[in-house]
């Protein structure tokens, strides 16, 4: 029902936007070809801005939206809408330039430069367009993989500059520059930015002010994995579901960029635990953070949680540090006496965090080592053959999967080949 409501909000705003465009430019559709192009160009500009605002809602970590869709699905929608946005946005200047060039009987290039030098706000809009194109270009997977997370994160802040430039251009020259349309356009823009400011920036600061989070303890789990125990005031009032994650910002020089990490322990009302593997510049600094370091926590986030399941029997499949959200889930579900099975893949037995904890929990689990030779462990990778042999009733279970992207893709393919329905497989990917 919530999803119907959210889709309805988007559809309603789309309809209102088209209505105000029709009031201002609809008459042009009954004129010459040049006038039709101008009308469609104006519509493309307004729709582009509506798509941009929707993008902000998708990545704004707004509690009720995020809780309904989950981080991963919102990111998928974000990427899909981003491709549509660029397509629509490009048509805005192209259609207007051609339309006005035909009206004024001048060349397209001459008309384009006339826009830049003589039309109010067009230069700002052009700068915004170039900024947006730059941000989209560095978000392409092949490009992003070559960038440091911090560089990618910082450059994305320019999206707010681009949006301001678009907005200032539209309220001066577009079909929403006066009357009720002006009030509406102001309203939706400021509403979206208000939600973004509240949930993405003010809420984490409020939680920090309320709980005064700090690093209380650091424990070495394996040579490359360390667990941070975070404490603060009134910890019993900070609630999360096992399987969720949070974005952490450490108040320490060189570490102020926000990074996502899963809770690796079920709620206990005393502390939060995040277990982090050293796999880059930022994570390699985790062991040296120092006890007492203040932490801003944005979350909890995600729907990799038990309430999304339809069955009461579970198969958990983890790879490497992907055990962290699953470790929290199995602890909570064990208290409920749920039927649990865990398949856990690592390179060697030295790479296994929480081995003693998993044994202490008493859940049925099997370690699969891709390179290790230790007896009593499965060899190779988690595949369909091992799933069928080690978990014969896997078709009766809800499957929760977390691990490196390559491993997750491979296991999902194996599960689908084995006949597991897609809606019975749960996973979530942090990154955009």
């Amino acid at each position: 029902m919530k999803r119907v409501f959210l889709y309805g909000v988007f559809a309603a705003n789309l309809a209102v936007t088209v209505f105000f465009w029709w009031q201002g430019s609809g008459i042009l559709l009954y004129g010459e070809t040049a006038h039709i192009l101008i009308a469609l160009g104006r519509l493309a500009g307004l729709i582009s801005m509506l798509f941009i605002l929707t993008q902000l809602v998708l990545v704004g970590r707004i509690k009720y939206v995020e809780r309904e869709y989950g981080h991963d699905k919102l990111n998928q929608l974000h990427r899909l809408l981003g491709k549509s946005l660029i397509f629509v946005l490009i048509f805005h200047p192209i259609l207007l330039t051609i339309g006005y060039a035909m009206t004024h009987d001048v060349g397209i290039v001459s008309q384009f430069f006339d826009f830049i030098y003589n039309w109010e706000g067009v230069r700002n809009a052009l700068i915004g367009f170039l900024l947006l194109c730059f941000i989209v270009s560095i978000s392409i997977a092949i490009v992003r993989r070559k960038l440091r997370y911090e560089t990618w994160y910082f450059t994305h802040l320019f999206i707010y500059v681009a949006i301001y430039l678009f907005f200032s251009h539209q309220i001066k020259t577009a079909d929403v520059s006066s009357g009720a349309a002006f009030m509406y356009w102001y309203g939706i823009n400021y509403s979206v930015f208000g939600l973004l400011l509240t949930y993405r920036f003010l809420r984490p600061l409020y939680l920090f002010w309320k709980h005064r989070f700090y690093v209380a303890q650091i424990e070495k789990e394996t040579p490359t994995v360390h667990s941070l125990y975070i404490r603060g005031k009134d910890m019993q009032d900070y609630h999360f579901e096992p399987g969720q994650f949070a974005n952490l910002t450490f108040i320490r020089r060189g570490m102020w960029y926000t990074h996502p990490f899963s809770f690796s322990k079920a709620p206990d009302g005393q502390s939060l635990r995040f277990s982090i593997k050293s796999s880059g510049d930022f994570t390699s600094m985790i062991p040296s953070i120092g006890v007492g370091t203040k932490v801003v926590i944005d979350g909890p986030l995600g729907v990799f949680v038990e309430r999304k399941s339809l069955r009461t029997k579970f198969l958990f499949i983890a790879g490497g540090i992907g055990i962290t959200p699953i470790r929290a889930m199995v602890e909570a579900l064990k208290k409920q006496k749920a039927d649990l099975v865990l398949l856990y893949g690592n390179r060697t037995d030295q790479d296994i965090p929480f081995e003693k904890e998993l044994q202490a929990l008493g859940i049925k689990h099997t370690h699969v080592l891709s390179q290790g030779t230790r007896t009593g462990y499965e060899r190779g990778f988690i595949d369909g053959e091992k799933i069928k042999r080690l978990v014969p009733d896997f078709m009766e279970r809800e499957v929760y999967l977390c691990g490196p992207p390559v491993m997750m893709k491979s296991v999902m393919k194996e599960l689908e080949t084995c006949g597991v329905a897609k809606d019975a497989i749960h996973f979530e990917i942090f990154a955009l």
Side-chain angles (χ1 to χ4, degrees):
M1 193 63 186
K2 288 182 180 179
R3 294 196 178 192
V4 174
F5 173 75
L6 293 172
Y7 284 129
V9 170
F10 175 79
N13 279 287
L14 179 61
V16 173
T17 299
V18 172
F19 171 75
F20 283 125
W21 162 78
W22 179 265
Q23 280 196 323
S25 298
I27 193 172
L28 296 177
L29 296 175
Y30 300 98
E32 301 174 352
T33 300
H35 295 162
I36 295 173
L37 294 177
I38 292 171
L40 294 177
R42 291 176 180 177
L43 178 61
L46 294 176
I47 297 298
S48 297
M49 191 63 175
L50 186 61
F51 279 8
I52 290 173
L53 294 177
T54 304
Q55 290 283 66
L56 294 182
V57 171
L58 294 177
V59 299
R61 300 168 194 161
I62 299 168
K63 180 179 178 181
Y64 301 102
V65 176
E66 205 275 342
R67 181 178 173 83
E68 179 64 23
Y69 289 89
H71 189 77
D72 191 56
K73 285 187 173 60
L74 289 176
N75 284 341
Q76 292 177 23
L77 288 172
H78 176 76
R79 289 190 291 269
L80 178 62
L81 190 60
K83 296 175 182 178
S84 303
L85 167 61
I86 290 298
F87 180 78
V88 176
L89 187 60
I90 288 175
F91 271 92
H92 173 61
I94 290 176
L95 293 174
L96 287 179
T97 301
I98 295 174
Y100 277 105
M102 293 172 65
T103 300
H104 298 154
D105 196 23
V106 297
I108 293 176
V109 175
S110 297
Q111 182 59 59
F112 179 75
F113 282 104
D114 179 56
F115 278 149
I116 295 175
Y117 288 109
N118 300 316
W119 289 60
E120 186 177 12
V122 172
R123 271 175 289 185
N124 286 346
L126 177 61
I127 294 171
F129 175 76
L130 294 176
L131 282 173
L132 189 63
C133 289
F134 170 70
I135 292 167
V136 170
S137 67
I138 67 170
S139 296
I140 299 172
I142 193 172
V143 177
R144 186 182 170 182
R145 282 196 293 267
K146 297 180 180 179
L147 295 176
R148 292 180 60 192
Y149 175 84
E150 291 79 5
T151 302
W152 177 86
Y153 180 88
F154 176 76
T155 53
H156 263 65
L157 296 179
F158 284 103
I159 188 68
Y160 302 114
V161 177
I163 293 171
Y164 170 76
L165 294 173
F166 290 147
F167 176 70
S168 63
H169 163 65
Q170 288 182 326
I171 60 174
K172 292 178 181 177
T173 61
D175 295 317
V176 292
S177 60
S178 62
F182 176 82
M183 298 300 295
Y184 164 72
W185 210 240
Y186 245 92
I188 62 168
N189 275 271
Y190 276 84
S191 294
V192 169
F193 270 91
L195 289 170
L196 185 72
L197 180 66
T198 298
Y199 284 97
R200 190 147 188 169
F201 300 101
L202 296 183
R203 184 171 182 268
L205 293 177
Y206 167 73
L207 289 174
F208 178 72
W209 171 82
K210 178 181 179 181
H211 296 288
R212 299 292 197 274
F213 297 118
Y214 68 93
V215 177
Q217 184 181 348
I218 303 175
E219 285 189 359
K220 185 176 182 179
E221 305 287 354
T222 73
T224 59
V225 176
H226 292 78
S227 288
L228 300 183
Y229 288 81
I230 296 176
R231 295 182 181 272
K233 294 170 53 181
D234 302 321
M235 294 299 290
Q236 71 280 0
D237 295 331
Y238 182 85
H239 304 287
F240 69 92
E241 296 178 74
Q244 290 188 301
F245 70 96
N247 293 297
L248 306 186
T249 306
F250 298 98
I251 310 303
R252 182 178 183 271
R253 180 177 295 181
M255 299 190 71
W256 61 273
Y257 289 100
T258 299
H259 286 70
F261 300 106
S262 293
F263 298 95
S264 63
K265 192 174 183 296
D268 61 12
Q270 298 178 3
S271 65
L272 310 174
R273 187 175 76 174
F274 298 91
S275 301
I276 302 167
K277 182 177 181 178
S278 298
S279 57
D281 293 340
F282 180 87
T283 51
S284 64
M285 298 172 67
I286 294 296
S288 62
I289 282 180
V291 172
T293 299
K294 303 294 184 182
V295 188
V296 177
I297 298 179
D298 175 16
L301 301 165
V303 292
F304 188 73
V305 292
E306 183 268 337
R307 64 178 161 84
K308 289 293 182 177
S309 64
L310 300 176
R311 302 174 179 87
T312 57
K313 298 174 66 175
F314 301 88
L315 167 59
F316 293 99
I317 302 177
I321 199 60
I323 190 64
T324 51
I326 288 175
R327 161 62 183 81
M329 291 183 73
V330 297
E331 178 185 0
L333 288 169
K334 182 62 179 180
K335 294 177 181 178
Q336 302 174 24
K337 299 182 179 180
D339 187 339
L340 315 174
V341 179
L342 167 65
L343 302 182
Y344 186 19
N346 281 284
R347 284 195 295 271
T348 70
D349 60 294
Q350 298 298 314
D351 297 311
I352 303 175
F354 316 135
E355 184 168 18
K356 292 182 179 179
E357 292 184 9
L358 292 172
Q359 291 174 353
L361 287 171
I363 65 169
K364 182 180 179 182
H365 64 284
T366 302
H367 293 288
V368 181
L369 305 179
S370 60
Q371 298 177 12
T373 58
R374 186 173 170 181
T375 58
Y377 289 67
E378 290 283 331
R379 294 290 306 278
F381 298 95
I382 298 174
D383 55 19
E385 184 277 328
K386 288 185 177 65
I387 293 170
K388 292 177 181 178
R389 173 167 53 85
L390 299 170
V391 195
D393 61 347
F394 68 94
M395 291 292 289
E396 302 171 18
R397 296 176 180 272
E398 209 83 5
V399 182
Y400 283 80
L401 170 65
C402 188
V406 173
M407 174 261 188
M408 291 176 64
K409 184 177 180 180
S410 172
V411 173
M412 280 192 285
K413 185 176 180 180
E414 293 284 333
L415 288 167
E416 291 175 11
T417 300
C418 290
V420 179
K422 288 186 178 181
D423 61 1
I425 305 173
H426 304 268
F427 64 94
E428 196 158 42
I429 299 173
F430 290 163
L432 280 170

